[in-house]
Amino acid sequence: MQPSDSLLRADAPQVRETAALEVAPTPLLAKIAEAERERRVIEQAARVKRQADIDEAGGIEKWLHAQLVAAGLAVTEDPATLTDAQKKSYKERKKAEASEKRRLRKLAWQAYHATHINHLGSAVFYNDLVDIDKFDIERREDRAKDLGLPDWTTPTKLASALGLSISRLRWLAFHKDVDTGSHYIRFTIPKRDGSARQITAPKTDLKRVQRHLLDNLLDRLTVHSAAHGFIAKKSIQTNALVHAGADVVVKVDIKDFFPTITLPRVKGLLRKSGLPEQVATLVALLCTESPRDVVDFRGQTLYVATGARALPQGSPASPMITNALCVRLDKRMAGLGRKLGCTYTRYADDLTFSFKKKDASSTAPIGSLLHGVRVVLQGEGFELNAKKTTVMGGGARQVVTGLIINKRPKATASSPSTSATRVPREVVRTLRAALHNRAKGKIKEGESLAHLRGLAAFVFQSDPVKGRAFLVEIDALEAAATN
């Protein structure tokens, strides 16, 4: 993934799912909707209270008996001791008791369903019973405490932390191979090579949940120092700076990076980090999704899963999960680099190695490096994307995460920056031309000021003077557009 792709994604035109046109609610409809929300809140509270009563009574059967006794519907007589006349009355009372039992069992099930996850869909293992199994790491609680993870020991605590009811939590996490709706918006954006990149972005409710998970859980997981993507105080520039001035740079790409990180791998990471079984299952489901085809069947739109649940490219939670899951990969790659005399960094699925020659006669062991990289990737459950492997010598243009890292002899009037990294000239020229055309009222289709601001910020990282000038120009254009 190149930085320019990231900038494009931030403001790319989104091809959204087909949906009914939204109609502005009238005051009457708004009142009806508010009344419905209040009804659901009251109903949910009643069900939670009923489950508490059931637990206090010692289980459903004891609660049922108590309710029948209180209603005067419990039948305790032995029919063998009754006369024929009494048996007729007995049968009527048994019918009334059975009818009330069915009603009460329905209420008890609704109460259980409102306070327990119970089931999360096909092919998803879940059990409401809290237990320790063979997949629990030793001293799990200590591990979670050492990482500073939140005290999410039960689904109830997780739901409360996320501001959700149990029913809502189950709805967001539930997996269906064929569904009538989706929690994601799917669209494509162009890659640098002209092909399409599939983006799967969560809708508002799920995005809020994923951001909360990122801020309060995922950001606390262990990552390797070689990782530079989506980490505080690190960026495409810190990644590129590590390799600035190198004699030889080797770039390697992981094939199908996000789709390779499936639900079981995410759940395993969370369990090893100290989360209990049920919470790890729920969080893993909240952060993964299956690739889906949208199918029209008998007038109904269906979303049909075509593969396993994996990290969606477009979720705010996905990048940090990849960083935490790739700790062992990064350790092994860094070790390989030390053995061969090169430096290693990773930005998402882009792996970079750089060599600095000790003398003019020394050569970089490229063959040994690529063989080792392939072995490590396979051992960690990934695959090398051979088509994107690039070897760049000092005499050629060296680009790492979108920035040029070749040695610059000295500053010039046109390029006063002496930074070890710099934005390619074509990016600067494209931005300058776009701003010039906008000033003359010529706006390219699909282009927005937000996208241009992203490009300007990209330039600012390595050339603050030039980048700031672009940002000032964009501010002026925005001000003119609002007047």
Side-chain angles (χ1 to χ4, degrees):
M1 178 178 62
Q2 293 296 326
S4 54
D5 291 338
S6 300
L7 293 169
L8 284 169
R9 285 201 301 275
D11 194 58
Q14 298 184 359
V15 182
R16 298 180 179 269
E17 301 163 347
T18 303
L21 293 175
E22 294 185 1
V23 180
T26 63
L28 177 58
L29 289 176
K31 286 183 179 180
I32 293 173
E34 181 61 29
E36 177 63 17
R37 281 193 293 269
E38 290 181 2
R39 185 193 66 79
R40 289 179 180 179
V41 169
I42 294 171
E43 187 177 76
Q44 174 71 12
R47 289 174 176 177
V48 171
K49 173 64 168 60
R50 187 176 298 118
Q51 183 60 44
D53 293 340
I54 292 171
D55 294 337
E56 186 178 353
I60 290 179
E61 296 305 322
K62 291 183 178 180
W63 176 79
L64 279 173
H65 180 70
Q67 292 295 308
L68 290 170
V69 170
L73 294 174
V75 180
T76 57
E77 297 97 323
D78 181 359
T81 64
L82 301 178
T83 64
D84 289 343
Q86 290 173 329
K87 284 181 180 180
K88 184 177 180 181
S89 173
Y90 172 83
K91 288 180 180 179
E92 293 298 324
R93 287 187 289 116
K94 285 297 288 184
K95 286 182 180 179
E97 181 190 53
S99 177
E100 182 64 6
K101 269 188 176 182
R102 286 193 296 272
R103 188 185 74 84
L104 290 172
R105 284 191 184 280
K106 183 178 179 180
L107 292 176
W109 166 244
Q110 291 173 346
Y112 184 88
H113 200 60
T115 54
H116 295 75
I117 295 297
N118 187 50
H119 181 54
L120 287 169
S122 59
V124 177
F125 172 78
Y126 186 85
N127 192 334
D128 275 321
L129 298 177
V130 178
D131 193 13
I132 297 175
D133 60 35
K134 64 181 180 180
F135 294 107
D136 275 316
I137 61 172
E138 293 184 11
R139 302 178 64 185
R140 179 188 64 76
E141 295 85 354
D142 292 340
R143 173 64 172 162
K145 186 177 180 180
D146 290 343
L147 290 174
L149 302 188
D151 183 30
W152 297 345
T153 53
T154 66
T156 301
K157 287 187 176 181
L158 173 63
S160 178
L162 297 175
L164 301 170
S165 66
I166 287 291
S167 299
R168 192 75 173 177
L169 174 60
R170 179 175 53 246
W171 177 68
L172 287 173
F174 204 91
H175 172 77
K176 289 183 180 179
D177 288 330
V178 180
D179 207 345
T180 56
S182 176
H183 296 301
Y184 290 86
I185 296 169
R186 293 167 174 83
F187 56 93
T188 60
I189 61 169
K191 292 184 181 180
R192 291 167 64 87
D193 60 6
S195 61
R197 183 190 301 278
Q198 177 73 40
I199 300 298
T200 306
K203 293 181 180 177
T204 303
D205 283 356
L206 185 57
K207 181 183 286 187
R208 181 191 65 78
V209 167
Q210 290 179 350
R211 287 196 181 280
H212 188 94
L213 292 173
L214 174 63
D215 295 339
N216 296 277
L217 172 66
L218 303 176
D219 269 345
R220 304 181 188 185
L221 300 181
T222 302
V223 298
H224 194 273
S225 59
H228 285 257
F230 313 97
I231 297 175
K233 298 182 180 179
K234 289 190 175 183
S235 63
I236 56 173
Q237 186 177 25
T238 62
N239 183 66
L241 278 171
V242 174
H243 307 284
D247 295 297
V248 178
V249 177
V250 180
K251 293 199 303 183
V252 174
D253 183 83
I254 300 176
K255 186 177 181 180
D256 297 329
F257 184 52
F258 286 94
T260 303
I261 302 176
T262 56
L263 172 67
R265 298 183 73 172
V266 176
K267 180 179 174 180
L269 165 70
L270 297 171
R271 296 212 59 183
K272 288 180 180 178
S273 299
L275 289 186
E277 161 70 23
Q278 290 125 319
V279 175
T281 301
L282 286 163
V283 173
L285 285 165
L286 289 169
C287 294
T288 57
E289 167 64 335
S290 293
R292 294 183 182 270
D293 284 342
V294 182
V295 178
D296 288 328
F297 180 71
R298 294 180 179 177
Q300 186 177 33
T301 300
L302 301 177
Y303 299 83
V304 182
T306 58
R309 290 184 77 99
L311 292 181
Q313 190 165 359
S315 162
S318 293
M320 190 51 67
I321 292 176
T322 65
N323 285 334
L325 193 136
C326 287
V327 166
R328 192 172 67 176
L329 168 72
D330 291 335
K331 284 182 179 179
R332 294 181 67 183
M333 289 296 184
L336 175 66
R338 286 193 298 270
K339 181 179 179 180
L340 298 177
C342 63
T343 303
Y344 161 75
T345 63
R346 180 180 59 81
Y347 192 98
D349 55 353
D350 292 334
L351 282 56
T352 306
F353 301 84
S354 61
F355 295 86
K356 292 185 179 180
K357 295 182 180 180
K358 296 180 180 179
D359 53 67
S361 61
S362 63
T363 58
I366 305 300
S368 298
L369 172 65
L370 293 178
H371 173 73
V373 167
R374 189 183 299 272
V375 170
V376 172
L377 285 177
Q378 289 177 347
E380 295 299 320
F382 295 105
E383 183 181 351
L384 175 69
N385 190 347
K387 293 181 180 180
K388 290 191 176 182
T389 299
T390 307
V391 179
M392 300 168 287
R397 183 198 233 188
Q398 297 173 333
V399 180
V400 175
T401 45
L403 297 172
I404 298 174
I405 62 169
N406 295 79
K407 295 178 182 177
R408 176 181 284 174
K410 60 181 179 178
T412 64
S414 60
S415 300
S417 172
T418 58
S419 172
T421 63
R422 55 197 182 278
V423 176
R425 290 179 181 175
E426 55 268 28
V427 175
V428 176
R429 288 169 180 165
T430 298
L431 177 57
R432 183 178 289 118
L435 293 176
H436 176 76
N437 288 334
R438 273 187 170 265
K440 291 182 172 293
K442 300 176 182 179
I443 301 175
K444 185 178 179 181
E445 185 179 356
E447 180 185 84
S448 68
L449 282 174
H451 172 62
L452 298 181
R453 184 176 291 279
L455 288 177
F458 179 43
V459 174
F460 182 84
Q461 289 188 66
S462 58
D463 192 338
V465 174
K466 189 176 294 182
R468 188 177 292 108
F470 283 137
L471 289 170
V472 168
E473 194 171 347
I474 291 170
D475 288 339
L477 288 172
E478 281 187 339
T482 55
N483 292 335

